[in-house]
Amino acid sequence: MVKAVVGEESRLKLIEDRLSQASVPSQVGLVIGKLSKSLDKGFVFDLIPTPLNDAGEPASSLIESGKDDGNKKKGSKSKPQSDSSALVIDRDWVSEHARQVSRMLLGGMKVIGVYIWVNESSFKNSTITLCQTVKGVCDAVPFMDTDMDERLLIHISYSPRRWTCRNCSLASNITSSSLRPCDFKMGKVLSSLKEFRCTYNFDMRLPVFSENGSSIRKMSEVLRRGLSTHAKELKGAKCLINGRLGIEDEQYAPDGLHEVEFLLPFMHDKSLEVYRQTEVVGVLVFHGSVCSFAYLNPKEPMSQALNEIKEDIIMSLQSRLEILCDEADRDSESIIDEDQEAGRHLSMGKQIPQLDLQLQREFSNLSFPRRVFIPWLAGTYICDYILPSETIEVLKDHCVELMSMEAPEDDSAILGLESEALYVTSASKSFWDIAASQLSSESKPDGLISKKSKKERSPGTSQLAKLGDLSIVAAFFVLIFSVVVGLALFVFRSQ
Amino acid sequence: MDTDIQNSNIRILCRKLVLPKLHDQSAEIPQIRWLIGSPFFPSPTIIATIRCINSADFSKESDDIRILLPKGFEVIGALIVKNDPNFENSVGEAVDAAVRLRKLLYGDAGGGFSEKDQMLVGGVVDLNNAGDVQFFTFKTGNVKKIEKISSILYEEQPEKYVWERGCLLQCELQIKFPVYYPPKNPKEVEKMYIRATEVVVSNLVDLKTTYIMEANGPSAGEQPVVLSGTDLELHKEMSSTTSQESKVKTFACSDLCLKAGKAISYTSIEEYADIIHVSILSNRSKRSLKPAAPIAEYYPVEDAKVLVVDHKLEVLCYAAKDLSLAAAVSKLIIPALVDQILSMRNKILSHLLTEHPQLQPYHFVPPGFFIPITIFYELSYGEMEMKQVETRKTLHIRFGLPLDRPLLRVVNAINLSVKDNKTTGSALRKGSSLLKDVHLGIPSSGVSGGTVSLIQGSYEYYHYLLDGFDDSGWGCAYRSLQAIVSWFRLQHYSGIDVPSHREIQQTLVEIGDKDPSFIGSREWIGAIELSFVLDKLLGVSCKVINVRSGAELPEKCRELALHFDTQGTPVMIGGGVLAYTLLGVDYNEVSGDCAFLILDPHYTGTDDLKRIVSGGWCGWKKAIDSKGKHFFLHDKFYNLLLPQRPNTV
């Protein structure tokens, strides 16, 4: 149970000023920070207002019977008049915001609750609503590693101007007793954070079984299952911190950036636990790298940093898969309106996560978006994902809309540590080549380099690549044909 | 053939050269014995001898030796045992055998540590001449030039010599990988499996592969040493003496050796030797090029199956303490793992699909040895199946072990892994809270000039009221039986639990000796019933000696002494109303004076060794004690039950 919470002074003061100047009756948003189980403490890094919803309305509003807008603003400042006002929150929207924001957070930073800017009496009238909002956020972005059933609810009241923090216990049904006050103070939080960095390379070979062997068919399902197995494996991994073998529960004193390297069992494929001599219809090779950061409070044990970074790696892969699945969903909705013929080619790439691999008889691939890092507060970073088809502008939109921050002006401040996805093999390679070279592809960097130069700028899917080849050939024929026709015409005319 | 006699000597570390006794039926004459040395010891030093059991097929012999001999030990020569050797011919045989086997084992180059022109040892034994051994040395470069060795130095404390200079490296590696194959063409599975093992072998020396070396024991203060692929000296020729100091990783094995000869007496290799554990991991964060975002690629296939192969490898290596850790990994651990995986592959290749081979390596330190040896056992067979027994018998012959003692069963294996030591250690203490071998340290019998013959091996002391079971007044024979069964258990003849009173009664009912009402009763049993139960539960047959009066028992002393010397099993004495367990006799053949080492099951106290000994519940009993009291009653008959040791391995 978190008993004391420290808020980042520099940020919260700014937010308070901004809120009081904006003179909105209410504002709901997310609390970004960290709940430390080992320290029984909470740390608040930043508060991010939830943007307007699809209908262009704010996520929270005060409903007052028989009063117009002008009165509302006025009334909000004086207590007696607003007694009857009730807080209405678009909970789904706040949850969705939390989901999107949490994708952008790195290890050791999470959506840890909800803040509300509202007057005292409305707050008191609406505790259940607020608890439900907190619960909604918690369900949308559960903590992967810990079983903490609590989140924060920060209330900034405007008259008197005051910050209060409550601990919202979500273990049981939400009642008025779910909220417990906890000690809240401002201080320096961000500047003392320790930074851990890791590049994690993985190469999963996920066999896809024939119909009677397994019920998992879709590519996204196969990937998701592979990920969850891999998460378990990573959980037990040994690691090196700055080249030294990490000892559990050791306090890690020095400041600065710490390089983490993970050591996994040598050629011991955990996903192979269950079967022997089974029919397969193919193998899904899922490989690449994840660049990861995690931030740690200096008082927390080092083992915590490792947990954070492991969680970040897995979350990053899950987020990317989610993004691809979201894209596919959106695409399949829009495809109905579009011209069938044009839609087909366009959507082939995006529909790949939904492919039924048991029926898929051709090579196909799915490039994951790459992760980029955007400078955030006090030298920390947040991240975003860029699909091969997207540009850096998308990322700026996300920053402004989701994180309520100014887009970085200088593109060079953005760390693009990951390059675009590389093929492990050319599409001409067959299943049997993959089967024979199992787990060895990683170990042949020179092979990859040569591939890289060849493939770096190739389009996302082999389908498109083949199409491209075809069209070149076609264009060539058209050219020859037109020349011949032109010549014929010329000859014909000149006669 | 030139024969020089020089003032050279040979150091022999085996307590006595294990030579076949002439009456030993298994001893075919002539035979070849391999002389085992180490590249870390001054040549020539013989650590052990191992008998050649495939003298007709050296290729198979070399395959066997490669697996059973830990890296860091090597075959340094051959010994020819003959009845009537013509020295000249035998020398030729020894040289020829040694050179041929070494070529198969280590190739022309001579292996990781040996020089091109290695000094080898030959030996000839004349069995007719009281096992007289003549040693000579020769060099691989010129096998014709023989130098006779003039003196033989027997090391007083061979285990000290070996384990002060070097340590044991232990590396466990469990690998699991899929093997895909087209079901239409099952032969293909072998090809794919071979390919997969090649990948394993090449990955062992991959730059990403990381070796973590840690000292043994939970209290190990030393930090583990992490070696990555770049730290290993994989592509350079090097010997133990010329390790390069310029390397960042200059740790030597001694940096992880904690015992440093602290152990005073040799009890077991686990206790005595310095052990370094090596674990192999794959570094997932080595950056060879710019990290690329993930991609999923799907390769469909028509008609394929996958077989998951799971191998548990465990190698032991011997390294001089001044050897660098990097060299220990690249010159010992990796080659040992490669040998093991290739050998495993050859053994299971042909029946990969039909059976599920479960080969697993085990390590043993057989009696007379103080270096470990490695044996693969196939776990999918029962240990007592004929094929397994035959395998063990062959190994017993190879190591010169008796053929009626189970010494190479899985339970005999040494256990060097850190974690397991802790758990099994506590489990053992919990499981066998019973007192063991209570007769050790009791006062002597007082028989002057007698020869003591005792049981061989350990037993547990079962007595009245043990485990809260009230059998006072009727259960003494049951307790004696339990002690005997515990002996068979502890000697690894059987894995069955020591039977309870009820289970003993059930067994007697099952074989038809008693009515069903017997179960749960408090009826006594005697020597005959015990023999039934031993036969039924353990398959052990017994010899029975009857005497009409307790006064006749001393006459049986000679027979009992012979029993303890040859069988070594505990004897049950049933007579009149009392049952005892006999653990030994002390007998003076000339004077006829004798004493019996009695383990008395009638003790009702707690398991307090002092009380048991001072109360005489375990002690030497004379037929007539100093006060003139008769221990064995004259008016009662006695049955002695002599369990026969199973003639098996």
Side-chain angles (χ1 to χ4, degrees):
Chain A
M1 199 69 164
V2 169
K3 293 186 188 87
V5 176
V6 189
E8 171 61 31
E9 198 169 18
S10 59
R11 291 297 300 164
L12 299 193
K13 283 274 182 284
L14 218 72
I15 288 157
E16 192 183 309
D17 293 346
R18 201 181 64 209
L19 281 170
S20 55
Q21 277 158 25
S23 70
V24 285
S26 73
Q27 188 184 75
V28 69
L30 305 174
V31 180
I32 309 298
K34 161 91 170 260
L35 293 180
S36 165
K37 204 175 183 183
S38 55
L39 301 178
D40 269 343
K41 260 182 146 177
F43 303 97
V44 175
F45 304 149
D46 199 9
L47 307 181
I48 303 171
T50 301
L52 301 181
N53 63 18
D54 287 336
E57 290 157 357
S60 72
S61 53
L62 283 173
I63 305 290
E64 286 171 274
S65 45
K67 283 188 174 115
D68 63 34
D69 268 9
N71 280 341
K72 192 172 161 187
K73 254 179 201 167
K74 203 177 153 197
S76 62
K77 301 238 165 170
S78 60
K79 218 173 169 183
Q81 273 172 302
S82 58
D83 261 342
S84 59
S85 62
L87 190 61
V88 177
I89 295 175
D90 186 347
R91 291 207 300 269
D92 292 343
W93 188 244
V94 176
S95 300
E96 178 60 23
H97 183 217
R99 203 167 75 91
Q100 304 255 359
V101 164
S102 75
R103 280 183 190 165
M104 301 180 73
L105 299 176
L106 299 174
M109 293 187 173
K110 289 193 175 74
V111 176
I112 56 164
V114 166
Y115 77 87
I116 184 78
W117 159 262
V118 77
N119 65 56
E120 198 79 32
S121 59
S122 301
F123 181 83
K124 279 194 182 125
N125 289 342
S126 322
T127 48
I128 297 293
T129 312
L130 285 165
C131 281
Q132 281 166 343
T133 312
V134 174
K135 175 134 181 69
V137 166
C138 173
D139 293 343
V141 284
F143 292 176
M144 208 174 84
D145 199 35
T146 61
D147 50 348
M148 276 186 115
D149 285 326
E150 53 184 287
R151 296 292 186 275
L152 300 183
L153 174 61
I154 293 178
H155 175 215
I156 313 148
S157 118
Y158 28 80
S159 60
R161 180 76 52 84
R162 166 170 94 164
W163 291 70
T164 46
C165 181
R166 286 173 178 79
N167 186 327
C168 187
S169 155
L170 304 167
S172 50
N173 284 338
I174 291 166
T175 58
S176 51
S177 64
S178 297
L179 283 180
R180 297 220 182 107
C182 52
D183 185 40
F184 184 82
K185 63 174 190 230
M186 306 266 191
K188 279 203 166 62
V189 180
L190 282 168
S191 57
S192 61
L193 288 180
K194 289 183 190 306
E195 191 176 26
F196 291 80
R197 188 169 75 182
C198 175
T199 306
Y200 183 71
N201 308 313
F202 65 94
D203 187 352
M204 300 179 216
R205 303 288 166 103
L206 308 165
V208 178
F209 300 102
S210 63
E211 208 155 343
N212 40 19
S214 166
S215 59
I216 295 190
R217 319 167 61 111
K218 271 194 205 170
M219 186 190 268
S220 57
E221 286 168 348
V222 175
L223 287 170
R224 210 162 278 146
R225 197 164 81 157
L227 263 179
S228 73
T229 321
H230 200 77
K232 279 179 213 138
E233 204 175 336
L234 184 59
K235 205 169 177 181
K238 284 194 175 186
C239 62
L240 302 174
I241 298 178
N242 297 334
R244 252 184 71 217
L245 200 63
I247 308 292
E248 289 288 301
D249 293 325
E250 188 182 309
Q251 297 281 336
Y252 207 68
D255 288 322
L257 182 66
H258 303 297
E259 288 284 351
V260 177
E261 292 168 76
F262 283 109
L263 306 175
L264 266 82
F266 175 84
M267 291 192 76
H268 193 259
D269 195 336
K270 276 271 177 349
S271 64
L272 298 173
E273 215 73 71
V274 277
Y275 50 87
R276 297 191 78 121
Q277 288 198 37
T278 324
E279 265 178 50
V280 288
V281 294
V283 63
L284 185 62
V285 183
F286 183 33
H287 65 102
S289 304
V290 179
C291 292
S292 169
F293 283 88
Y295 299 96
L296 188 75
N297 189 279
K299 291 207 178 76
E300 285 184 286
M302 191 172 61
S303 58
Q304 186 62 33
L306 300 177
N307 289 342
E308 304 283 8
I309 213 151
K310 287 173 190 174
E311 190 175 334
D312 183 62
I313 289 166
I314 296 300
M315 288 298 285
S316 171
L317 287 173
Q318 277 175 355
S319 298
R320 294 187 223 209
L321 185 56
E322 262 176 53
I323 289 169
L324 289 172
C325 290
D326 287 356
E327 285 275 309
D329 286 345
R330 212 173 302 150
D331 207 58
S332 60
E333 280 164 26
S334 63
I335 195 170
I336 303 159
D337 326 327
E338 278 176 45
D339 172 47
Q340 284 290 327
E341 198 57 18
R344 173 152 297 164
H345 290 308
L346 241 169
S347 63
M348 261 322 282
K350 292 189 175 172
Q351 289 302 309
I352 284 174
Q354 314 298 359
L355 275 185
D356 184 334
L357 296 184
Q358 281 176 7
L359 302 177
Q360 174 72 13
R361 300 313 329 138
E362 268 169 60
F363 170 82
S364 57
N365 67 14
L366 178 64
S367 292
F368 275 54
R370 66 192 179 99
R371 196 182 205 188
V372 291
F373 299 90
I374 307 144
W376 196 45
L377 310 171
T380 62
Y381 284 95
I382 54 170
C383 71
D384 201 1
Y385 298 99
I386 301 186
L387 286 161
S389 59
E390 290 174 337
T391 63
I392 214 141
E393 297 307 314
V394 183
L395 169 161
K396 289 180 177 173
D397 292 347
H398 285 168
C399 289
V400 175
E401 193 188 353
L402 296 173
M403 297 298 287
S404 177
M405 62 189 267
E406 281 169 29
E409 282 169 27
D410 186 5
D411 283 356
S412 65
I414 297 169
L415 294 183
L417 297 175
E418 291 176 9
S419 68
E420 273 186 28
L422 302 174
Y423 296 86
V424 65
T425 48
S426 66
S428 63
K429 277 223 174 178
S430 74
F431 171 87
W432 293 110
D433 295 325
I434 293 292
S437 73
Q438 50 187 322
L439 296 173
S440 62
S441 64
E442 275 185 290
S443 59
K444 294 193 174 65
D446 16 12
L448 264 179
I449 287 167
S450 62
K451 287 278 146 44
K452 185 188 174 190
S453 51
K454 256 188 274 170
K455 283 285 181 179
E456 193 165 35
R457 288 290 144 220
S458 69
T461 68
S462 70
Q463 297 267 340
L464 287 182
K466 276 183 197 157
L467 261 176
D469 292 344
L470 258 178
S471 55
I472 288 172
V473 174
F476 183 68
F477 278 116
V478 168
L479 188 73
I480 296 221
F481 179 74
S482 53
V483 166
V484 168
V485 168
L487 264 175
L489 274 174
F490 179 72
V491 169
F492 186 70
R493 284 240 181 116
S494 63
Q495 276 183 345
Chain B
M1 206 174 284
D2 311 326
T3 311
D4 284 0
I5 298 186
Q6 285 196 346
N7 193 16
S8 56
N9 54 37
I10 188 166
R11 190 184 297 271
I12 293 189
L13 300 179
C14 337
R15 274 203 190 77
K16 52 180 190 217
L17 271 177
V18 188
L19 292 177
K21 290 164 200 148
L22 281 170
H23 65 259
D24 190 346
Q25 292 156 358
S26 69
E28 297 164 34
I29 306 292
Q31 56 171 259
I32 305 172
R33 298 189 147 250
W34 305 117
L35 302 173
I36 308 301
S38 167
F40 304 114
F41 292 160
S43 187
T45 303
I46 297 171
I47 302 167
T49 72
I50 294 178
R51 183 162 155 200
C52 170
I53 54 171
N54 303 299
S55 43
D57 184 357
F58 268 29
S59 144
K60 185 173 181 335
E61 180 73 7
S62 71
D63 287 345
D64 287 358
I65 298 275
R66 191 175 293 125
I67 292 310
L68 64 86
L69 199 60
K71 290 265 177 303
F73 296 117
E74 60 175 4
V75 173
I76 56 159
L79 179 72
I80 302 291
V81 181
K82 275 194 171 177
N83 249 334
D84 183 22
N86 170 324
F87 182 76
E88 289 280 304
N89 287 347
S90 305
V91 165
E93 277 175 49
V95 169
D96 178 57
V99 170
R100 267 170 64 207
L101 186 77
R102 277 186 61 91
K103 191 164 179 175
L104 286 165
L105 277 174
Y106 312 116
D108 286 326
F113 288 98
S114 29
E115 302 140 33
K116 270 243 151 65
D117 196 17
Q118 171 90 9
M119 185 200 274
L120 298 183
V121 187
V124 177
V125 179
D126 181 1
L127 283 178
N128 284 346
N129 195 358
D132 176 34
V133 191
Q134 284 179 294
F135 285 108
F136 58 89
T137 61
F138 59 97
K139 296 223 171 180
T140 43
N142 181 7
V143 294
K144 293 270 183 249
K145 193 169 153 41
I146 305 289
E147 288 180 17
K148 260 196 177 167
I149 286 171
S150 52
S151 69
I152 300 176
L153 206 85
Y154 282 95
E155 192 67 35
E156 290 268 313
Q157 289 176 291
E159 56 284 312
K160 199 171 166 195
Y161 186 93
V162 173
W163 297 113
E164 250 178 19
R165 282 166 178 75
C167 60
L168 202 58
L169 303 164
Q170 183 245 6
C171 178
E172 241 182 286
L173 180 64
Q174 194 160 10
I175 49 175
K176 188 192 272 177
F177 48 85
V179 176
Y180 296 94
Y181 64 97
K184 279 183 209 140
N185 185 6
K187 267 283 151 197
E188 196 75 4
V189 74
E190 294 183 12
K191 237 166 82 189
M192 293 301 274
Y193 172 63
I194 288 173
R195 180 81 189 83
T197 53
E198 281 163 2
V199 170
V200 175
V201 167
S202 70
N203 277 359
L204 278 175
V205 295
D206 191 273
L207 291 184
K208 291 195 315 313
T209 304
T210 302
Y211 292 80
I212 297 182
M213 314 186 77
E214 43 200 326
N216 189 29
S219 60
E222 311 301 313
Q223 279 287 322
V225 176
V226 181
L227 295 175
S228 68
T230 43
D231 300 319
L232 300 180
E233 297 151 32
L234 292 167
H235 311 291
K236 266 176 286 167
E237 283 300 318
M238 64 146 289
S239 73
S240 58
T241 46
T242 60
S243 64
Q244 287 172 306
E245 292 300 307
S246 60
K247 278 261 171 195
V248 190
K249 305 277 177 184
T250 50
F251 291 106
C253 292
S254 54
D255 292 319
L256 291 173
C257 292
L258 306 170
K259 289 170 186 161
K262 274 179 208 152
I264 302 139
S265 64
Y266 181 87
T267 44
S268 68
I269 198 161
E270 294 101 312
E271 299 288 324
Y272 194 79
D274 277 306
I275 298 160
I276 297 175
H277 298 283
V278 183
S279 35
I280 305 181
L281 296 160
S282 168
N283 190 327
R284 299 301 185 91
S285 305
K286 270 272 173 285
R287 273 187 289 176
S288 48
L289 45 103
K290 189 170 178 186
I295 183 169
E297 295 171 63
Y298 183 58
Y299 296 87
V301 65
E302 300 290 335
D303 207 17
K305 276 191 161 187
V306 62
L307 168 79
V308 177
V309 178
D310 193 350
H311 283 328
K312 191 172 180 288
L313 308 176
E314 189 182 344
V315 296
L316 295 183
C317 301
Y318 177 77
K321 286 187 178 170
D322 59 358
L323 189 70
S324 78
L325 289 175
V329 167
S330 43
K331 294 276 168 190
L332 298 169
I333 293 282
I334 294 176
L337 284 168
V338 170
D339 280 353
Q340 205 167 77
I341 191 162
L342 295 184
S343 157
M344 209 175 259
R345 176 177 96 186
N346 294 340
K347 282 192 162 73
I348 69 172
L349 191 59
S350 52
H351 37 270
L352 201 56
L353 287 178
T354 46
E355 297 160 43
H356 296 317
Q358 280 178 280
L359 274 185
Q360 200 166 313
Y362 290 94
H363 311 291
F364 299 89
V365 183
F369 282 65
F370 42 89
I371 65 168
I373 49 139
T374 304
I375 300 169
F376 280 154
Y377 281 134
E378 174 55 63
L379 297 185
S380 49
Y381 301 127
E383 206 169 22
M384 290 318 291
E385 272 178 46
M386 271 323 280
K387 199 175 163 189
Q388 299 289 82
V389 175
E390 281 309 311
T391 310
R392 284 199 300 272
K393 216 171 233 169
T394 319
L395 288 162
H396 274 246
I397 293 171
R398 191 188 268 292
F399 299 115
L401 304 173
L403 291 173
D404 58 349
R405 305 276 193 279
L407 297 168
L408 297 175
R409 294 201 187 164
V410 168
V411 278
N412 301 99
I414 54 171
N415 181 4
L416 297 169
S417 55
V418 209
K419 295 159 266 164
D420 292 8
N421 261 350
K422 269 186 249 166
T423 50
T424 54
S426 63
L428 265 181
R429 252 171 273 127
K430 228 187 286 165
S432 64
S433 54
L434 301 176
L435 289 178
K436 254 195 222 168
D437 302 339
V438 287
H439 67 280
L440 299 175
I442 56 162
S444 62
S445 64
V447 174
S448 59
T451 310
V452 179
S453 305
L454 290 180
I455 62 159
Q456 300 160 13
S458 294
Y459 60 90
E460 288 166 332
Y461 183 25
Y462 285 83
H463 56 79
Y464 276 172
L465 304 183
L466 201 71
D467 293 327
F469 186 80
D470 184 5
D471 55 348
S472 186
W474 60 278
C476 52
Y478 292 85
R479 295 298 185 181
S480 180
L481 174 60
Q482 287 175 331
I484 292 171
V485 174
S486 80
W487 183 91
F488 279 95
R489 224 179 104 79
L490 290 170
Q491 264 47 247
H492 306 306
Y493 282 104
S494 169
I496 66 154
D497 288 332
V498 172
S500 66
H501 294 58
R502 203 183 170 82
E503 282 162 344
I504 292 168
Q505 291 170 337
Q506 252 160 3
T507 309
L508 286 168
V509 171
E510 264 170 46
I511 60 167
D513 182 58
K514 294 277 189 284
D515 293 328
S517 62
F518 180 63
I519 297 173
S521 72
R522 297 187 152 210
E523 277 180 57
W524 300 355
I525 54 172
I528 304 306
E529 281 88 351
L530 255 69
S531 74
F532 292 155
V533 176
L534 286 174
D535 182 45
K536 173 81 178 155
L537 294 182
L538 304 173
V540 166
S541 56
C542 299
K543 204 164 134 186
V544 178
I545 301 175
N546 298 302
V547 288
R548 268 167 297 162
S549 154
E552 290 176 28
L553 268 170
E555 296 167 21
K556 300 293 176 187
C557 255
R558 190 192 303 269
E559 204 172 338
L560 287 169
L562 185 68
H563 167 82
F564 287 116
D565 289 341
T566 57
Q567 302 293 326
T569 60
V571 170
M572 181 259 189
I573 304 177
V577 294
L578 299 174
Y580 299 111
T581 312
L582 181 66
L583 302 176
V585 288
D586 192 351
Y587 180 54
N588 183 333
E589 274 190 60
V590 183
S591 67
D593 195 9
C594 65
F596 299 85
L597 179 52
I598 297 292
L599 183 69
D600 193 340
H602 302 92
Y603 175 67
T604 53
T606 53
D607 273 3
D608 178 353
L609 190 60
K610 254 192 191 155
R611 268 183 69 190
I612 291 163
V613 172
S614 65
W617 299 104
C618 177
W620 288 102
K621 308 285 177 189
K622 287 198 168 181
I624 304 163
D625 68 10
S626 51
K627 290 169 198 147
K629 212 178 136 199
H630 293 272
F631 186 76
F632 297 111
L633 304 175
H634 280 201
D635 54 347
K636 299 277 194 239
F637 70 92
Y638 283 87
N639 285 330
L640 286 98
L641 187 74
L642 284 56
Q644 304 297 295
R645 193 190 270 264
N647 189 12
T648 183
V649 292

